[in-house]
Amino acid sequence: MMPPQVGPHPEWNVPDEVPPPPRGPGVLAPFAAPPRDRDLRGLWIGLGVGGVVLVLCCIAGIVGIGFLLPYADSLGKSQVASVVENYLTAVRDEDFAGARRQLCDSELRTHSLGWFEDRYGQAPVTDFTVSADDVTIANVITVPARVRQNGNWVQEQYIMEQAGTRYLICGGLD
């Protein structure tokens, strides 16, 4: 057994900072600055190609919108015209309940099944034509139709209204 040591404890020198690199030729701090590619040609080529792609995408978007707007307009006109066609088909077939389903709430209150029987019982609809090209969409949506009753062609104008996702007839019945 060894006797315990008496005296001061040895002090260990622990540095608080990392020492600076030694001076001299060829000695540099590690990664003082990131390495740089001196040739910027690749960067400019990439930026140029990206710019050309951006311009082409913008032009394609404008052309696409130009083609989409007339299509959307004709699609809306055909939807509105189909409501009038459904109405006149139901009237021709004397399905007055089906015809009433094409009417807005204010027209439903004033046009009962009896009204349909009175109006179309004496002068039944035998034929009709509705053209989506003649539909007018402005502040008021108007659908013209030619209706044949008692052997005569009559020009009628139906006023449409949008209720949710549906179009309904809201005028032009009288």
Side-chain angles (χ1 to χ4, degrees), residues 18-135:
V18 176
R23 294 209 168 265
V27 177
L28 297 173
F31 303 111
R36 181 174 168 199
D37 183 15
R38 292 180 185 232
D39 185 16
L40 297 177
R41 192 174 93 199
L43 172 69
W44 287 112
I45 290 173
L47 286 174
V49 169
V52 168
V53 168
L54 179 65
V55 167
L56 288 176
C57 286
C58 290
I59 291 171
I62 291 169
V63 169
I65 289 173
F67 281 121
L68 182 65
L69 288 178
Y71 174 73
D73 186 48
S74 67
L75 181 64
K77 287 181 176 184
S78 66
Q79 286 177 343
V80 172
S82 72
V83 172
V84 174
E85 287 175 359
N86 292 342
Y87 170 78
L88 291 172
T89 300
V91 169
R92 182 190 64 204
D93 298 341
E94 296 182 4
D95 177 19
F96 300 133
R100 284 190 80 228
R101 283 193 289 273
Q102 307 302 322
L103 303 181
C104 68
D105 290 339
S106 64
E107 293 294 320
L108 283 174
R109 286 190 287 273
T110 58
H111 296 88
S112 65
L113 286 175
W115 180 88
F116 279 95
E117 290 169 358
D118 292 343
R119 168 122 192 249
Y120 296 111
Q122 298 170 2
V125 172
T126 56
D127 197 10
F128 63 88
T129 59
V130 178
S131 174
D133 295 333
D134 298 332
V135 172

